[in-house]
Amino acid sequence: MNGVATLQNFGGPSILVIDDEERIREGCRKVLCKEGFDVETAASGEIGLKMIEEKYYDIVLLDLMMPNLSGFDVLSQVKYLHPDAVIIVISGYATIEYSIKAMKNGAFDFIPKPFTPDQLRVLVTKAIEYTRALKDIANEKSRMRVLINHLRDGVLAVDAEKRLVLANPAFFQMFGCDGEAKVGLSVSELCGGSRVESLIDGALSMPEGEFREHAEELVCEDAGGLPEAYISASCVPFRDRAGRNLGAITVLHDITAQKKMEHIKSDFVSMVSHEVRSPLNSVLAQLHVITDGLAGEVTPKQMEILGRASEKIKSLLSLSTELLDLARVESGLATIEKERVNPAEILEDQAAFHEPAAREKQITLELLPLPELPPLFVNRRNFEEVLSNLIINAIKYTPPGGKVVVSAATEDKFLKITVCDNGFGIAAEEQDRVFAPFYRIKNEKTRYTIGTGLGLAIVKSIIEAHGGFIRLQSEADRGSVFDVYFPLADS
Ligand code: ADP
């Protein structure tokens, strides 16, 4: 259209023109009505304000220099009544100072008199696009709010100064705090000293290049100190384009029902395992009586059959021991009996203990020289069980001639223990599954290796019950690296 601006009517924004000069008022009205807009006019600031009090206008064209109520007074009133309205200032005394002052007071733009219909169209087009963007943001905000308010999970967003930016009803309910809590309230006022606050601190202090979820299971106790509810809390930072932390989002998920089911399952498993142990032990003892020849002579064939039966019973006994262990860890019993231990001493004992089995299989088991290691606050038996399971597995799943290397070092607020082998390795698709109870990889290489599939499940449960985590890197036929992280005693 030869450089002439065209206006697009985006669903009819309403426009009010406030000017004491009839020629300008009518000129604007005609140009804008021609484009199909809903345009109204006011001959003074007072009339304009009255109209604005009664109706919302998307765009206000406002003369700065009017008798009585000045354009600046009208501007501040409009901003007060309708902060989203877009104001374009018109003035015959167009100076830079006036424009700056008007913009500082919230005007969107400035059009000096006299102006052409085309200049007016260009500016109004710009203003309409701006109002459209504002509406999109407002709609998006309202959609987000409805979504967040209807989530069953609790959501809390705080800024970098740990002041509440947003929290949904589920959060207030789960956290048992007053729903009246206001935006701007500090986290210490809301839930000071709680684990949620330390998760937020962890997320906010996360360095730029790193992105990690801080997660923890929270136990809410009743008046008698018994667990009443279990909440899984996770917290991540949110950042600007430059990667700076702007704040943190915490999500609380109620896992009470799941925990109760797990406890029922653990109790059941430990009851059954416990109950089968004594009959199994007595069958084993009776078999020994026969195989030792105390019940009469035994033929070589009978001996062979009884030997196989004893082996089966022994493996059932070891399954029930592992099931009992797992149930104990899952029920939280194991972590009650924590003590301060010297990890270096336990690592050396474990390496020495498993060395003969490794040697027998022609595998080199090496413990790398240990740096100065701080103490850990753990259940000693469980800690030993983690190391023992990982070393036994490394020996079991590495062919003769292979190598198993154990090392340890502090990393951040954790003690990292690494058990590395150059054995069968674990294919990528199996790597998550191997931590599930009873999962065993079945292939040509592993088919003759005996196991219950509970070892790594026990290892993972123990580590997590101590607030740590385990990482696995492995490649089929190249070997595996298990990294275990235990929090340091005073972290
Ligand atoms: P189990 O050894 O009794 O089968 P685990 O839970 O300890 O049970 O291990 C699960 C599976 O993970 C094993 O069956 C084995 O296939 C695989 N696995 C564990 N450790 C290693 C390892 N170091 N190298 C290769 N595979 C392993």
Side-chain angles (χ1 to χ4, degrees), residues 322 389-390 392-398 419 421 423-426 430 433-443 446 449-459 472 474 479-482:
E322 293 202 340
N389 268 320
L390 293 177
I392 291 175
N393 274 354
I395 299 171
K396 252 175 33 178
Y397 301 106
T398 298
V419 179
D421 65 62
F424 302 151
I426 301 171
E430 306 267 25
R433 296 187 211 146
V434 289
F435 294 100
F438 301 110
Y439 190 81
R440 304 202 68 220
I441 299 172
K442 290 193 185 89
N443 59 32
T446 59
T449 320
I450 316 167
T452 57
L454 283 172
L456 288 180
I458 293 175
V459 164
L472 163 63
S474 186
S480 309
V481 181
F482 285 88

Side-chain angles (χ1 to χ4, degrees), residues 217 257-267 330:
E217 233 175 73
Q258 185 188 328
K259 277 278 164 190
K260 282 189 177 152
M261 274 311 291
E262 277 173 16
H263 280 156
I264 293 171
K265 189 200 77 188
S266 296
D267 289 351
E330 283 180 349

Side-chain angles (χ1 to χ4, degrees), residues 158-327:
V158 296
D159 63 16
E161 270 73 51
K162 293 205 289 177
R163 279 187 309 254
L164 190 144
V165 179
L166 179 152
N168 68 352
F171 173 83
F172 291 125
Q173 198 191 354
M174 274 184 205
F175 217 71
C177 44
D178 184 1
E180 293 294 300
K182 299 255 164 31
V183 166
L185 202 76
S186 77
V187 170
S188 31
E189 285 168 89
L190 191 67
C191 48
S194 67
R195 296 303 303 155
V196 169
E197 188 174 15
S198 35
L199 285 180
I200 293 173
D201 287 335
L204 288 178
S205 59
M206 207 181 290
E208 227 174 80
E210 191 182 320
F211 191 82
R212 193 154 51 84
E213 186 184 81
H214 281 252
E216 200 165 310
E217 233 175 73
L218 313 175
V219 184
C220 312
E221 290 174 347
D222 63 12
L226 292 170
E228 188 178 35
Y230 295 87
I231 309 263
S232 142
S234 59
C235 187
V236 284
F238 58 92
R239 294 174 166 149
D240 63 11
R241 281 175 184 221
R244 284 175 298 231
N245 287 344
L246 293 178
I249 308 253
T250 310
V251 177
L252 303 182
H253 181 59
D254 190 335
I255 50 164
T256 312
Q258 185 188 328
K259 277 278 164 190
K260 282 189 177 152
M261 274 311 291
E262 277 173 16
H263 280 156
I264 293 171
K265 189 200 77 188
S266 296
D267 289 351
F268 177 74
V269 169
S270 53
M271 191 264 286
V272 173
S273 315
H274 198 262
E275 289 303 306
V276 298
R277 288 178 71 76
S278 6
L280 283 177
N281 273 321
S282 87
V283 173
L284 198 61
Q286 287 171 34
L287 284 176
H288 276 309
V289 170
I290 303 173
T291 52
D292 288 350
L294 300 175
E297 210 177 307
V298 188
T299 67
K301 186 73 197 162
Q302 286 167 336
M303 199 68 149
E304 189 195 322
I305 295 169
L306 292 175
R308 265 189 269 138
S310 299
E311 283 311 308
K312 289 279 174 217
I313 288 170
K314 277 185 201 155
S315 70
L316 268 177
L317 272 168
S318 95
L319 173 67
S320 75
T321 310
E322 293 202 340
L323 280 172
L324 269 171
D325 275 352
L326 188 60

